[in-house]
């Protein structure tokens, strides 16, 4: 392992000790989430400066601007998306479609858990974006392609009320 690998682990375990170096982003993220309190400060009313906040630490900006209520709404929307994808996977007619949808579900759930976990110091900082929200072209493209596959499974495996199939 290289020196900066240990720096990431140390800054995850003791971010205040490494606030001037590798723990800077994590300390700022926790301060931003905590300063949002219950209802947040409002859209665009940030007080905690975070460089490149639109990338991996977008959840901390949501926590600061919209507070605990806003973060709960974001989590609820991700839960509803995962629930709906699970229903689609159960109703799919082919095993291949179900397996691919389970992979999509796991991918989205892991990205959400990892990104939010690293923003609140539950997990180490990795660089995994929050699906549909974080800035980044390749991640957004991959997630949208996965959702396109889920829509295709829904469209091609639809059962109609008065069909003879």
């Amino acid at each position: 392992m290289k020196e900066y690998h240990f720096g990431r682990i140390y800054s995850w375990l003791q971010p205040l000790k490494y606030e001037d170096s590798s723990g800077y982003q994590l300390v700022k993220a926790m301060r931003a989430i905590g300063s949002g309190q219950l209802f947040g400060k409002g859209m665009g009313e940030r007080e905690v400066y975070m460089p490149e906040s639109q990338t991996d630490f977008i959840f901390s900006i949501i926590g600061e601007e919209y507070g605990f209520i806003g973060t709960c709404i974001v989590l609820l929307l991700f839960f509803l998306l995962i629930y709906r994808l699970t229903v689609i996977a159960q109703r799919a007619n082919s095993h291949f479609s179900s397996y691919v949808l389970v992979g999509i579900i796991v991918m989205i759930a892991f990205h959400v858990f990892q990104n939010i976990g690293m923003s609140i110091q539950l997990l180490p900082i990795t660089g995994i974006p929050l699906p549909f929200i974080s800035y980044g072209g390749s991640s957004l493209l991959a997630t949208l392609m996965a959702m396109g596959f889920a829509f295709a499974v829904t469209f091609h495996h639809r059962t109609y009320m008065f069909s003879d199939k």
Side-chain angles (χ1 to χ4, degrees), residues 16-114:
L16 293 175
K17 184 176 179 183
Y18 299 96
E19 183 177 2
D20 294 334
S21 58
S22 56
Y24 179 78
Q25 198 81 348
L26 180 59
V27 170
K28 293 290 186 179
M30 291 189 302
R31 285 184 183 152
I33 291 172
S35 70
Q37 297 181 353
L38 185 61
F39 296 108
K41 297 175 181 173
M43 187 170 174
E45 299 295 326
R46 287 185 275 173
E47 294 176 4
V48 178
Y49 172 72
M50 286 189 57
E52 299 297 322
S53 61
Q54 73 275 9
T55 56
D56 297 337
F57 285 93
I58 192 69
F59 187 76
S60 61
I61 300 304
I62 294 170
E64 183 178 9
E65 291 183 357
Y66 301 107
F68 181 73
I69 303 295
T71 57
C72 286
I73 290 171
V74 168
L75 286 174
L76 178 69
L77 290 173
F78 277 119
F79 174 76
L80 290 175
L81 174 67
I82 291 170
Y83 171 74
R84 185 67 187 142
L85 288 173
T86 305
V87 169
I88 293 170
Q90 288 175 344
R91 292 183 182 166
N93 292 338
S94 69
H95 293 293
F96 176 76
S97 298
S98 295
Y99 295 149
V100 172
L101 281 169
V102 167
I104 292 169
I105 292 165
V106 169
M107 178 188 76
I108 291 174
F110 178 75
H111 279 212
V112 169
F113 181 73
Q114 177 66 32

